[in-house]
Amino acid sequence: MSDIQPAGNTGLAAEFQAMLSNVRERDVNTMSLKLANMILRHAILLGASDIHFDPKHETTILRFRIDGLLKDQLTYPKNTLPIVAALRVAAGFPPKAAVAYTPEDGRFEFIIDGRSVQFRVSSFPSILGDKLVLRLLDLHKTAPSLGHLGFSAPQLAQINKITRQPSGLFIVSGMTGCGKSTTLNCILGELSRPELNIMTLEDPVEYVLPRVTHAQINYRAGFGFAEGLRCILRQDPNIILLGEIRDAETAETAIRAALTGHLLLSTVHAPSSVGVIHRLKCMNVEPFLLASSLLGVMSQRLVRLLCPACSEAAGPDPDFIKGLETVRDPAQSHRALSLLKQQGGNFRKAKGCPACGMTGYKGRTVVSELLPIGDTLRSVISGKETDIVELKKAAEKSGMQPLLCDALDKAAQGLTSLEEVSRVVSES
Ligand SMILES: [Zn+2]
């Protein structure tokens, strides 16, 4: 089949092509199933988090999300190779009607080297056919230790201090895919002891920790975050991980739980630590209840680590410094600039080699800002009116190291590049 186009240096494209030319498989459905299995295996081995099948007029583009970024793997003729159809069957989707497409979601299990990997499958009816996205959920993988995620020593000490409190609310914020769930699960792993009842409500569950009861929310069955949390509260919990607070009802239940002797860890969608407080206040929670329950707020992102085999020395780029001067938050850019100028840092840039798939990067690390809630902030939060400027000032006074500065610190250590810092910090 000549219209298979490999994208870059992928062993997948070569194996795909070889399978098509060597295997004398007459039945296209059997062939498609074999190819689908091969794609899943490659995705797992490459450490992809998601697999995308994008339908075009004649072809399908296959992409993997690796280290947070989508990367083309290959393009194949969609009509002669119904791989998407084979995966729809695996996910238990109903046979597709000729005209009326409907979105579907499902799951299936895939066994690789005797180990089970779950795939959460979502289909979306585009005008050119089903777009299929598969999320890999390896529930047998062990959570890394909190100390290995990339938090600085002072941040780790603060996280430990906050999460050793018997009750209260600790929130982590950041974009989808910024590693919030991993951080929270790692914290649970560290807190876990036989005398504690630890329960979670997640969407999706990504880790299964010993001595932790994990639950998956299911909106269709009416088991959302607010309802699930009420169920957990009848289960005599000590520590609760609530996947997300996104509405007033969940926020209120979470705060009440935190004020009645439970340690509650959760996430809120907001661009910064101060943004989390602002967002929670916008959910109409009682300001003094929020102020008395909140222990700390952290905002995090993941930056790609430079490939140690090929990164090159490079001083801070003048364009980057110019960009920093236009950062909207003057206090943050001032601190960042002085950091860049002070340090005779080991700044490096990405190059690309076979070891990193020519991307110049391999693996990721956390960059974050952690805001412990002290008395000054508590009094600002308990005010009726939400003043984000006042919140920012109070956060600054508390000595919070802004996320940008933490990221620049990592660039100065040669762990990541300034390009990557700029890409990730500008996301919000
Ligand atoms: Zn490399």
Side-chain angles (χ1 to χ4, degrees), residues 307 310 352-353 356:
C307 168
C310 66
C353 72
C356 55

Side-chain angles (χ1 to χ4, degrees), residues 306-311 351-362:
L306 283 165
C307 168
C310 66
S311 75
K351 189 174 175 237
C353 72
C356 55
M358 305 314 286
T359 59
Y361 296 93
K362 224 175 169 189

Side-chain angles (χ1 to χ4, degrees), residues 205-221:
V205 174
E206 292 177 29
Y207 296 92
V208 177
L209 303 169
R211 293 193 175 277
V212 173
T213 305
H214 296 268
Q216 164 74 47
I217 69 153
N218 184 344
Y219 286 112
R220 273 192 208 158

Side-chain angles (χ1 to χ4, degrees), residues 119-271:
F119 283 88
R120 189 181 70 175
V121 189
S122 152
S123 81
F124 180 81
S126 91
I127 54 164
L128 297 178
D130 268 351
K131 173 174 167 67
L132 214 63
V133 177
L134 282 72
R135 160 66 55 90
L136 278 81
L137 299 168
D138 185 355
L139 297 178
H140 289 272
K141 70 174 180 250
T142 42
S145 90
L146 187 64
H148 287 109
L149 296 181
F151 292 108
S152 65
Q155 282 174 335
L156 275 178
Q158 279 182 321
I159 294 173
N160 283 329
K161 194 174 163 205
I162 290 171
T163 56
R164 259 58 177 184
Q165 304 295 315
S167 66
L169 190 58
F170 178 57
I171 305 281
V172 179
S173 79
M175 318 280 292
T176 303
C178 73
K180 298 182 294 257
S181 314
T182 299
T183 298
L184 290 174
N185 271 284
C186 291
I187 292 173
L188 289 188
E190 307 245 317
L191 295 175
S192 172
R193 293 201 305 274
E195 57 271 32
L196 294 175
N197 177 20
I198 305 181
M199 299 185 71
T200 81
L201 199 56
E202 298 163 88
D203 186 28
V205 174
E206 292 177 29
Y207 296 92
V208 177
L209 303 169
R211 293 193 175 277
V212 173
T213 305
H214 296 268
Q216 164 74 47
I217 69 153
N218 184 344
Y219 286 112
R220 273 192 208 158
F223 192 62
F225 285 117
E227 172 55 30
L229 180 55
R230 280 193 290 271
C231 295
I232 285 182
L233 290 171
R234 294 190 287 269
Q235 288 270 315
D236 185 27
N238 297 102
I239 301 174
I240 303 163
L241 164 55
L242 183 67
E244 190 184 349
I245 298 176
R246 63 176 122 177
D247 56 67
E249 190 191 1
T250 313
E252 202 204 319
T253 318
I255 287 169
R256 298 225 173 255
L259 287 171
T260 50
H262 309 98
L263 177 68
L264 203 130
L265 315 178
S266 190
T267 75
V268 167
H269 216 86

Side-chain angles (χ1 to χ4, degrees), residues 207 348 373 379 417:
Y207 296 92
R348 304 187 72 79
I373 307 298
S379 72
S417 67

